[in-house]
Amino acid sequence: MEIRHLLAQWIESQDWEAAANNEAMAMILLQNLIIQVDEQLDRVSQEKNLLLIHNLKRVRKLLQGKYHGNPMHIAVIISNCLREERRILAAASMPVQGPLEKSLQSSVVSERQRNVEHKVSAIKNSAQMTDQDVKYLEDLQEEFDFRYKTIQSLEQNDKNSALIKQEMLALQAMLNTLDYKRKEVLSKIGRVIHEIDMLMSNMLTEELLDWKRRQQIACIGGPLHGGLDQLQNCFTLLAESLFQVRRQLEKLDELLTRLTYDGDPIPVQRPQLLEKVNFLLYNLFRNSFVVERQPCMPTHPQRPMVLKTLIQFTVKLRLLIKLPELNYQIRVKATIDNNRRFVLCGTHVKAMNMDESANGSLSVEFRHLQPKEMKTSAGSKGNEGPHMVTEELHSISFETQVCLYGLTINLETSSLPVVMISNVSQLPNAWASIIWYNLSTNDPQNLSFFNNPPAATLSQLLEVLSWQFSSYVGRGLNSEQLNMLAEKLVGQQVSYNDYQLSWAKFCKEHLPGKSFTFWVWLEAILDLIKKHILPLWIDGYVMGFVSKEKERILLKDKTPGTFLLRFSESNLGGITFTWVDQLENGDVTFHSVEPYNKGRLSALPFADILRDYKVIMADNVPENPLKYLYPDIPKDKAFGKHYSCQPNEVSKPSDGGGKGYVPSVFIPVSKILNDSTEPHSPSDLLPMSPSVYAVLREHLSPTAIETALSSPYSTD
């Protein structure tokens, strides 16, 4: 927390996401982070802030010791933290929670979590109290045994004395007490076992299923799921309690060998109780073996469960029963499917330990696994290449064996279904399959899901689409933007809440009049934002999802020069801007520039385009028509901090430049032909230096320049 606060600006300016996939870059960032911490240490040492000095030294030691051998790990941690911060900020700006997020954060779930923790604590206390009862029973039996053997050792004459007869009566009373205490201890043990059984069968099972559902939702961009540490605490306490009960039953068996009698309850009840304890331990261990972090390629951290052949992926497993005796004693083996189409290359057997995880959990992380497709009998690879089916689901399975206190338990678990690709071009459609599966079902292993994929509720799908933006580009979608997407998917509807959307409509069928699907269109926009307009999107200045009809309604009553930014509906990965103008007769007119795609935005930052954009009207000098970002934000106030440099002053060739050259910049220039009915030119971005333009103005009339520049607008 101290580091995040003190180094906020520096941390946010580094590319941690790239470093998470590049060890050399991660090492450089880690070294620079330590240098930054040292500088802060020097500063706070002068201020004599002892607590802060202590915490900074502790963090510095942690960075050097824990992450020096694995710098990409700290890069992943920081990248995830920053992404979650952006998601939280984006969620705070949304008007309401979606139905999925509400269901995950209901008061009923929170109340059940508290009840589970309370009951586990009560069970642990009951088991410990029973320990005291067993100890009292042992002491009582030892006293009885001593006094009984003492009488037995006496001569026959002594045994007939009145004192001895009185002692025999006392021993009989002790035996009655022993019998009562044995029955009482067995009853208490039975109650503890029953409470554990009921807790495991009901609330704990529901808690685990809820956590797995939250993990599914988090994998497709939803809120980061927590609660695994709390579950680990519950599982561990229950396991400790069951082993404690098991020891108590063993102690009763030991007492039985030393003393038994007619009507002794131990030989009757103990075997049944021990069988129940072992059964509960088996189930507890089986449920405790979970995939903590689903398979994911480090190169695509926001696209888990999509795996590319011959590319490494990571996956992490945890045993929720954290017992020191198990450290480095459990070896986990990873395999894939059973159809022998794919095999896993790399280290696929590793031991679970408590040293690699930051929280000391008993876990194992596979970092060097990679799937490989096997050759078919004909000698060629099945479905290899760009046509590999992105709706075909596979599963990564894990198995191990626990041997503890005479018990041997075989454990198995599996990842959520994964999609295999052989080319990165398949990634968008593969990710769509992952989204649809995890949105539509909580079944962790339905590999035939896409044989007949169910429809999804549109309201939930829209929420997940917003998560794609909040998790991938740092800002989710508001209700207006989501309504536009809904209209694009299903047209005008009275209510979207109960509308069921088919998988084909989402990802298979082309949009009306277009050569691409809805998902391909949306994925191209995500890629555009990520690579070219991310700061503008995060600031909320890109309205983006607004139809042409709606943008005219929004702009028609605004000051001339008011503009908004929206994504193209007919060009993949395109962004355009539309501004309102007023004719001499008072009529309102709208102008939309041809969409800019990633190729043109690679040459010139979008903020600079907005700053330098010029329009040439007939017989007028070029001017920038963009004055106010909708609704009324001055353009430079909105985008000023994103300009790459200050606009160059127009200079003449005689002013010179570096090494005798005229300084030059790209200026986006467009021309509006008031009376022209000619088709529009495909380009509106023409390179021209300010110096050249100044010379043209000296020697040519505006009409001559107008003739030379022909780059009008498209209608998009």
Side-chain angles (χ1 to χ4, degrees), residues 35 289 461:
I35 291 172
F289 192 39
L461 177 62

Side-chain angles (χ1 to χ4, degrees), residues 3-4 10-12 14-17 20 29-30 33 63 71-86:
I3 295 297
R4 182 68 183 94
W10 182 84
I11 288 174
E12 291 167 17
Q14 310 305 310
D15 193 348
W16 297 101
E17 191 171 311
L29 278 182
L30 176 59
L33 177 58
L63 290 173
M72 290 197 298
H73 191 190
I74 188 66
V76 169
I77 290 173
I78 297 177
S79 174
N80 287 340
C81 286
L82 293 176
R83 186 165 67 250
E84 176 63 2
E85 287 177 12
R86 291 194 300 267

Side-chain angles (χ1 to χ4, degrees), residues 103-106 108-110 112-113 202-218 225-227 231 442:
S103 68
L104 297 175
Q105 299 177 357
S106 70
V108 175
V109 173
S110 300
R112 189 179 63 236
Q113 290 172 345
N202 299 313
M203 286 191 289
L204 192 62
T205 299
E206 290 179 15
E207 272 300 293
L208 185 60
L209 291 175
D210 278 353
W211 176 83
K212 290 182 177 181
R213 182 57 179 159
R214 291 197 299 272
Q215 185 188 50
Q216 276 188 279
I217 296 303
H225 64 297
L231 274 173
N442 56 9

Side-chain angles (χ1 to χ4, degrees), residues 335-359:
T335 56
I336 183 169
D337 284 348
N338 294 317
N339 59 15
R340 300 185 179 180
R341 180 180 167 189
F342 293 95
V343 294
L344 288 180
C345 302
T347 306
H348 62 279
V349 178
K350 289 188 69 176
M352 304 189 90
N353 65 84
M354 301 178 185
D355 302 328
E356 293 185 19
S357 294
N359 59 0

Side-chain angles (χ1 to χ4, degrees), residues 438-604:
N438 290 285
L439 167 64
S440 304
T441 180
N442 56 9
D443 185 343
Q445 282 301 301
N446 185 5
L447 300 185
S448 59
F449 175 85
F450 283 104
N451 290 348
N452 184 25
T457 303
L458 182 58
S459 59
Q460 291 188 346
L461 177 62
L462 292 175
E463 184 180 5
V464 173
L465 294 183
S466 179
W467 290 344
Q468 303 313 298
F469 285 82
S470 59
S471 65
Y472 194 63
V473 292
R475 186 181 183 88
L477 305 180
N478 60 33
S479 57
E480 292 297 321
Q481 292 168 321
L482 292 174
N483 282 338
M484 187 271 189
L485 292 183
E487 290 180 13
K488 199 164 186 67
L489 277 167
V490 300
Q492 294 285 349
Q493 295 287 333
V494 177
S495 172
Y496 300 127
N497 291 334
D498 301 323
Y499 188 91
Q500 296 291 310
L501 187 78
S502 69
W503 163 244
K505 192 83 171 176
F506 176 68
C507 192
K508 308 290 284 184
E509 299 173 1
H510 287 178
L511 290 168
K514 304 295 187 296
S515 60
F516 46 80
T517 66
F518 171 85
W519 173 249
V520 168
W521 171 74
L522 197 69
E523 179 75 10
I525 290 172
L526 279 165
D527 189 60
L528 173 79
I529 296 173
K530 182 77 169 179
K531 295 178 179 177
H532 299 290
I533 58 171
L534 186 60
L536 280 63
W537 174 260
I538 290 176
D539 284 349
Y541 292 143
V542 181
M543 186 174 292
F545 296 104
V546 56
S547 65
K548 298 174 191 176
E549 296 76 16
K550 183 65 178 290
E551 75 174 356
R552 281 155 175 72
I553 294 173
L554 295 174
L555 291 173
K556 67 178 182 178
D557 296 325
K558 294 298 178 182
T559 304
T562 301
F563 67 100
L564 57 78
L565 311 177
R566 68 174 177 85
F567 300 121
S568 172
E569 296 183 63
S570 58
N571 291 268
L572 285 178
I575 186 170
T576 183
F577 46 86
T578 299
W579 72 92
V580 63
D581 201 358
Q582 195 170 39
L583 302 177
E584 292 181 359
N585 62 6
D587 290 344
V588 172
T589 184
F590 305 94
H591 303 292
S592 296
V593 74
E594 182 188 0
Y596 291 87
N597 57 26
K598 60 183 180 181
R600 302 164 83 188
L601 293 174
S602 297
L604 193 62

